[in-house]
Amino acid sequence: MLPLSIMIELLTLDFVHPVEGVQAFSTTRVDVDKRNAYSGVNLCDYVGDDALRVLDSRITLAMQLGVDLDDLVMPRQTHSCRVAVIDERFRSLDIDKQEEALEGVDALVTALKGVVIGVNTADCVPIILADGEAGVIAVAHAGWRGTVGRIASSVVKDMCRQGASVDRIQVAMGPSICQDCFEVGDEVVEAFGQARFDVDAIVKRNNDTGKAHIDLRAANSAVLAAAGIPIDNIAVSQHCSRCEHDRFFSARRLGINSGRTFTAILQR
Ligand SMILES: [Zn+2]
């Protein structure tokens, strides 16, 4: 038997307009060992953490949520804009076929109940979405590449194919890097400009360093608004992963070889 951890402390993510029967959260780090960049709860199995520790955390979370281990679904993210739909057909696949279907995917959509869909992030923006009336939920990982590629818009389209309606979709962004912490090179600013983002609205310059800082949350809000989501339906967590790196994982602060914050949604 694996030694089961104590309860995982979850940060509840609230929508502006509550969606009945839906639970959304981000995992948090507690009692952090500052010498260990994986210290805290990490469910991500491809960032160099000990496999048994990852499994232990997944089992603990599943038990805490009252679901089975294979009800926790998370993609193997690659900063792509690919969306996978988790349906009965996916659920009927063997585990290796499921893993294949989740390879290179950065967003998930489902209309199933009891399935926990989530993404792993360390500074990137985790986005959860729900249309309670249609019973369609989604989650996306938006780093700067995914944001430039408008992954949030792709997710909305896939939700609508499953019966959701843009005017009813509620959105919440979980803990992510704040604009002050997100210094980028000019090539990143150029990428946003080439993708026709309103650069003046999302980029500011640090007066001392002259470096550009991008507001990834505002950029994703703009993508969602352009996709038809009412701006009043978008909630944005003000928790910064880098400022609060002892509570959330931050690749900028801890290095790329570190744990990830798991942000997920499920409907019961
Ligand atoms: Zn910050």
Side-chain angles (χ1 to χ4, degrees):
M1 272 299 283
L2 291 164
L4 289 179
S5 314
I6 49 166
M7 291 270 283
I8 296 170
E9 200 176 298
L10 303 176
L11 172 77
T12 299
L13 297 181
D14 292 317
F15 292 115
V16 178
H17 307 285
V19 182
E20 215 177 306
V22 165
Q23 182 180 2
F25 60 85
S26 293
T27 57
T28 66
R29 309 176 75 197
V30 283
D31 297 330
V32 171
D33 172 359
K34 289 193 187 302
R35 295 159 301 178
N36 182 355
Y38 299 99
S39 175
V41 176
N42 171 50
L43 280 74
C44 192
D45 64 358
Y46 53 87
V47 288
D49 196 1
D50 178 74
L52 280 181
R53 256 177 49 87
V54 171
L55 182 60
D56 180 23
S57 294
R58 288 187 183 187
I59 291 170
T60 304
L61 181 65
M63 283 179 67
Q64 199 170 318
L65 296 173
V67 300
D68 292 334
L69 190 56
D70 62 4
D71 293 329
L72 293 182
V73 182
M74 60 195 87
R76 192 176 175 99
Q77 304 161 201
T78 54
H79 295 277
S80 76
C81 284
R82 280 190 56 212
V83 184
V85 176
I86 307 303
D87 52 14
E88 293 293 1
R89 195 197 67 84
F90 172 89
R91 300 274 286 164
S92 69
L93 296 173
D94 294 338
I95 190 78
D96 51 330
K97 289 281 175 203
Q98 288 193 359
E99 279 175 9
E100 213 173 281
L102 294 171
E103 179 70 42
V105 165
D106 283 77
L108 301 172
V109 172
T110 192
L112 299 177
K113 288 187 162 56
V115 178
V116 183
I117 52 171
V119 292
N120 290 292
T121 62
D123 294 336
C124 296
V125 186
I127 307 172
I128 51 157
L129 309 93
D131 177 346
E133 206 176 309
V136 178
I137 57 173
V139 66
H141 155 244
W144 74 260
R145 286 187 179 83
T147 305
V148 163
R150 294 183 168 78
I151 188 168
S153 178
S154 300
V155 170
V156 168
K157 281 185 196 131
D158 270 312
M159 288 181 79
C160 292
R161 279 189 206 110
Q162 301 293 314
S165 170
V166 281
D167 52 315
R168 290 193 307 245
I169 293 175
Q170 296 290 318
V171 184
M173 297 184 205
S176 62
I177 195 162
C178 75
Q179 187 172 16
D180 284 341
C181 287
F182 196 43
E183 180 187 296
V184 296
D186 284 344
E187 72 284 0
V188 177
V189 177
E190 270 168 38
F192 276 91
Q194 279 168 9
R196 296 176 181 275
F197 277 77
D198 180 356
V199 169
D200 291 340
I202 59 169
V203 179
K204 68 177 183 190
R205 293 266 167 194
N206 180 311
N207 287 336
D208 299 326
T209 64
K211 291 278 190 180
H213 289 248
I214 289 190
D215 187 339
L216 273 185
R217 301 160 180 172
N220 279 289
S221 289
V223 170
L224 288 159
I229 306 289
I231 207 81
D232 290 346
N233 287 7
I234 305 173
V236 181
S237 169
Q238 295 305 307
H239 286 290
C240 170
S241 45
R242 187 170 176 272
C243 292
E244 300 173 56
H245 58 272
D246 52 357
R247 192 161 182 223
F248 307 102
F249 288 104
S250 168
R252 287 257 172 149
R253 181 67 193 229
L254 304 165
I256 198 75
N257 292 319
S258 59
R260 298 291 183 269
T261 297
F262 182 64
T263 297
I265 182 167
L266 97 138
Q267 56 185 345
R268 298 188 189 273

